[in-house]
Amino acid sequence: MKKEETVNFFVSEAKKDFRIVEENLHNVIEEVKFTQNKGLNYFEKFDEEFVLNQLKKLKENQEANLSGKLFGVPISVKDTICVKGLESTAGSKFLKGYVPVFDATVVSNVKKEGGIILGKTTQDEFGFGTFSTNTSRVPKNPFDNERSCGGSSGGGAGFCAITRNYHINIGESTGGSIAGPASFCGVAGFTPTYGRVSRYGLIDYANSLDKIGAIGRNIEDAALLLEVISGKDDNDSTNIGEKYVVDEAPVKKIGVIKELLDSADPEVKKIIQEKINELKKFFIVEEVSLPLNFNYSLPTYHIIASSEASTNLAKLSGLRYGVQGSVEGKHFDEYFSSIRSEEFSEEAKRRIILGTFARMSGFRNAYYLKSMRVRTKLIEEFNNLFKKYDLLISPTMPIISPKFSEISTLSPLQNYSTDLCTIPVNLAGLPHISINAGFSKNMPVGLMAVASHLNENKLYSFAKVMQ
Amino acid sequence: MCAVEVNKDLIKKVAANARLNLTDEELEKFVPQIKEIIVESFSKLDSIEVDEKPSFQPIELSNKFRRDEVKPSLPIEKVFSNVSKELRKENYFKGPKVL
């Protein structure tokens, strides 16, 4: 990676000459408009005036912002993260018109460091999906517009791949929603340890799984943004208060997760295998096995994720914000049921039903509680491997990005199963990255690396070797 | 082992608990899909024995408390900025009947 391609380089130059900030931002704005006009749909909400007002303010207060790590850098934000004054819908028509009156902590942190909020990027509704197709504005893969950007942070990854200017995206992952799109779009996705980054202001999907992270053109950019958005926040009771600071950390021994490599399509497996052979020049690389995770992480994840989603979505009732109807003469049951039935998509309804079922009296012990116990076992399996290995690696996705025509033929279960590689690490709250490893049929193939809790810098050092 | 028969009645009951009215078309579509997910995926957990404590979070977290201090809150107009005119009555939210 050339130093000139990193946001760090841009920031150091921009501090010397503000015209660099203006030129970069105007170029990025033109790219956003161009991609919107071409129907590539990377942005759910883009308001040029909103962006230019921030530029004006930064120009007027340059001196005060000169220490900012993101001085003048355009930062796009996944639609599920609240930005004050900018419609934030989490990709759902139920939240149409909702304009937050406060910034999420990650957005405040970006602003404090001189970043410019560019707009809200497209995603699956509430994060429910692997392909960003469960929404009205479906982002298209820059490498082939008939294929998906991945999901659910699809718009952010797609724009990172297409822009030729300096920009970083704030994404969010519940079961692989940063790594998956990064893999399909050939960019760097960095998901932190659970609790590293405050979730205050996140329109949540599943509370014990959601993690806000970063997507960039390279690992340096993603790590820089992760450093800015991480750290202590009293507004999030699950925040662990450990700031991430970008640094190198020694990596010697790497385990290749056999089950995940063997599950990949032959073309994906071939590219990852070639990359593994190259890595052997730098690291000790051995094959490892995660049988429990391979067999049980998918059902465990889907029970937990849908259970938590069904309780989170209970708050959407057509009162106070988002779509609202007339309550005149209506009983609360009638009003809530009618507006929820009207405004939730098919996928949201399916997940609400699954989650409500798993928590119902008579099934709760067999499904919900058991899945939480199984999760303990699955985390232990990872921890045992981390006693011997610095990192574990596998393909990020078992396939290259599929065509929309192929996605439409998948059953919900087949659809959910494509997250096979990313779900175990998300269930265990482990930090992970996806870095491009090569191309198959002209489509990017991502390699995922996973570290033990709070060891993000091992991932950073490894990714720099990979790049 | 958790024996469960996934049929229209069960899905209707679960949907009603979640305040969702399903159309006949949705019901026809959801029953086989949800049955497949429960039988082929969720029920895999029947085959694993666990004595472990549940992990309600993936890392250990302790309760965090803040000082019980009065701080400035949102101005009234901001609180109501996302509420439709019809669902605001003076400085109250207006909702449907509960009795």
Side-chain angles (χ1 to χ4, degrees), chain A residues 41 82 88 116 118 145 207 226 240 302 359 362 370 406 418:
Chain A
N41 297 338
C82 289
S88 299
I116 294 173
L118 182 63
N145 295 167
N207 304 60
L226 193 57
I240 55 174
H302 284 297
R359 293 182 296 109
K370 186 158 187 183
E406 295 166 334
T418 48

Side-chain angles (χ1 to χ4, degrees), chain A residues 22 80 101 108 121 139 143 156 158 187-188 195 200 226 233 256 261 277 312 319 360 402 434-435:
Chain A
E22 291 172 317
T80 197
V101 293
S108 305
T121 48
F143 291 89
V187 292
Y200 178 70
L226 193 57
D233 182 17
V256 180
L261 184 61
N277 292 339
N312 275 324
L319 297 175
M360 269 170 65
S434 180
I435 299 288

Side-chain angles (χ1 to χ4, degrees), chain A residues 84 97-101 193-195 199 207-208 233 236-240 292 295-296 298-300 302-303 306 308 318-322 324-333 335-338 340-341 344 346 349-350 352-354 356-358 360 362-363 366-377 379-380 411-413 416 427-429 453, chain B residues 1-6 10-23 25-27 29-67 71 74-75 77-88 93-99:
Chain A
K84 186 178 175 181
Y98 169 56
V99 180
V101 293
T193 304
Y194 176 85
R199 300 180 297 180
N207 304 60
S208 80
D233 182 17
D236 176 1
S237 64
T238 58
N239 173 258
I240 55 174
L292 290 178
N295 287 311
Y296 296 106
L298 277 175
T300 305
H302 284 297
I303 293 170
S306 54
E308 294 181 2
L319 297 175
R320 297 188 291 141
Y321 53 85
Q324 294 155 62
S326 170
V327 297
E328 283 313 316
K330 285 182 186 153
H331 186 262
F332 77 93
D333 244 352
Y335 178 73
F336 294 158
S337 300
S338 68
R340 285 165 62 80
S341 306
F344 280 131
E346 187 181 305
K349 287 179 190 173
R350 195 159 33 235
I352 290 170
I353 292 170
L354 282 166
T356 306
F357 165 77
M360 269 170 65
F363 304 113
Y367 295 113
Y368 176 69
L369 267 179
K370 186 158 187 183
S371 68
M372 294 295 186
R373 291 182 195 281
V374 175
R375 169 150 72 175
T376 307
K377 228 179 170 72
I379 295 171
E380 280 170 8
S411 74
L413 185 59
Y416 299 168
L427 196 54
H453 291 136
Chain B
M1 182 68 78
C2 181
V4 54
E5 194 187 338
V6 181
L10 177 73
I11 300 302
K12 261 188 182 173
K13 184 182 162 192
V14 177
N17 279 348
R19 303 289 184 269
L20 290 173
N21 303 323
L22 299 182
T23 62
E25 199 181 299
E26 284 174 325
L27 206 51
K29 196 171 183 181
F30 284 168
V31 171
Q33 289 176 342
I34 288 172
K35 188 174 185 172
E36 186 189 21
I37 294 166
I38 292 173
V39 174
E40 302 289 324
S41 177
F42 285 15
S43 295
K44 277 189 183 167
L45 295 195
D46 290 342
S47 64
I48 181 169
E49 290 296 321
V50 275
D51 320 319
E52 282 78 1
K53 285 184 181 171
S55 288
F56 291 108
Q57 308 277 347
I59 55 169
E60 277 191 31
L61 291 169
S62 51
N63 285 332
K64 282 169 59 177
F65 299 101
R66 59 175 168 75
R67 289 185 184 280
K71 288 183 180 172
L74 284 175
E77 283 315 309
K78 280 198 171 177
V79 170
F80 287 99
S81 65
N82 279 288
V83 184
S84 70
K85 278 183 189 165
E86 203 181 332
L87 297 188
R88 177 179 180 177
F93 295 107
K94 191 173 168 187
K97 287 189 295 190
V98 291
L99 290 173

Side-chain angles (χ1 to χ4, degrees), chain A residues 223-367:
Chain A
L224 171 66
L225 181 57
L226 193 57
E227 177 174 308
V228 167
I229 62 177
S230 71
K232 189 172 182 288
D233 182 17
D234 290 338
N235 283 329
D236 176 1
S237 64
T238 58
N239 173 258
I240 55 174
E242 297 266 356
K243 185 155 184 72
Y244 167 61
V245 180
V246 182
D247 201 357
E248 301 271 346
V251 177
K252 289 178 186 162
K253 213 167 169 185
I254 292 175
V256 180
I257 306 170
K258 181 183 183 308
E259 292 90 349
L260 300 184
L261 184 61
D262 289 345
S263 301
D265 272 3
E267 275 298 296
V268 170
K269 187 176 174 180
K270 182 171 165 272
I271 284 164
I272 299 295
Q273 193 63 62
E274 284 168 5
K275 193 51 89 175
I276 290 168
N277 292 339
E278 284 176 36
L279 292 172
K280 284 178 180 169
K281 293 176 202 158
F282 306 95
F283 310 104
I284 299 165
V285 183
E286 294 175 353
E287 198 171 81
V288 300
S289 181
L290 279 169
L292 290 178
N293 271 279
F294 184 67
N295 287 311
Y296 296 106
S297 64
L298 277 175
T300 305
Y301 170 84
H302 284 297
I303 293 170
I304 294 173
S306 54
S307 296
E308 294 181 2
S310 67
T311 57
N312 275 324
L313 294 185
K315 65 176 170 267
L316 289 181
S317 54
L319 297 175
R320 297 188 291 141
Y321 53 85
V323 172
Q324 294 155 62
S326 170
V327 297
E328 283 313 316
K330 285 182 186 153
H331 186 262
F332 77 93
D333 244 352
E334 182 193 354
Y335 178 73
F336 294 158
S337 300
S338 68
I339 203 155
R340 285 165 62 80
S341 306
E342 188 70 31
E343 301 303 330
F344 280 131
S345 71
E346 187 181 305
E347 184 57 32
K349 287 179 190 173
R350 195 159 33 235
R351 296 201 188 206
I352 290 170
I353 292 170
L354 282 166
T356 306
F357 165 77
R359 293 182 296 109
M360 269 170 65
S361 172
F363 304 113
R364 189 185 299 128
N365 287 351
Y367 295 113

